[in-house]
Amino acid sequence: MVLLRQLLGDVLRRLRVRQARTLREVSTVARVSLGYLSEVERGQKEASSELLASICGALGVPLSQVLREVSDQFALAELQHAPVLADAPEHERLPMSETVPSTISGPEFDGFPEVKDMVAA
């Protein structure tokens, strides 16, 4: 089972490392103890909404972006454990318009590069 706190920690760590920043630097700016931030990144502690907002602020990324990336990774994890659509009876399948929201499938949407990389792997 994939835990939300683990996916959240992975996304936060990836963002921090991509910025070439240390745990100490981010914890100081976010005003969170170094140990606690480390536990959040390792998926060992649940981050409150206030703590998460503070970490995102220290990383300079919108909370919505972090949650979107976590949501995308969670959806991929769920798909890996879901039955293949071809195996499902026709009456149990959803039309594509119901499975992919139009807000993220239009030509103006560029997608999430990390998710595309995960799907391609």
Side-chain angles (χ1 to χ4, degrees), residues 98-120:
E98 292 181 32
T99 60
V100 179
S102 61
T103 57
I104 65 167
S105 62
E108 69 283 349
F109 180 72
D110 189 31
F112 302 103
E114 290 180 357
V115 174
K116 289 178 183 176
D117 292 344
M118 290 171 62
V119 172

Side-chain angles (χ1 to χ4, degrees), residues 19-53:
Q19 295 176 11
R21 297 178 64 193
T22 65
L23 271 170
R24 184 172 307 283
E25 179 185 353
V26 174
S27 71
T28 300
V29 175
R31 302 183 80 163
V32 176
S33 77
L34 179 78
Y36 198 82
L37 179 58
S38 175
E39 288 179 310
V40 168
E41 282 192 1
R42 288 181 282 136
Q44 295 177 337
K45 294 285 184 185
E46 298 276 352
S48 68
S49 57
E50 292 86 0
L51 178 68
L52 192 52

Side-chain angles (χ1 to χ4, degrees), residues 1 6-7 12 23 26 55 58 71 76 79 81 88 103-104:
M1 172 198 274
Q6 291 172 334
L7 292 176
L12 292 173
L23 271 170
V26 174
I55 295 168
S71 176
L76 286 174
L79 286 174
H81 291 64
T103 57
I104 65 167

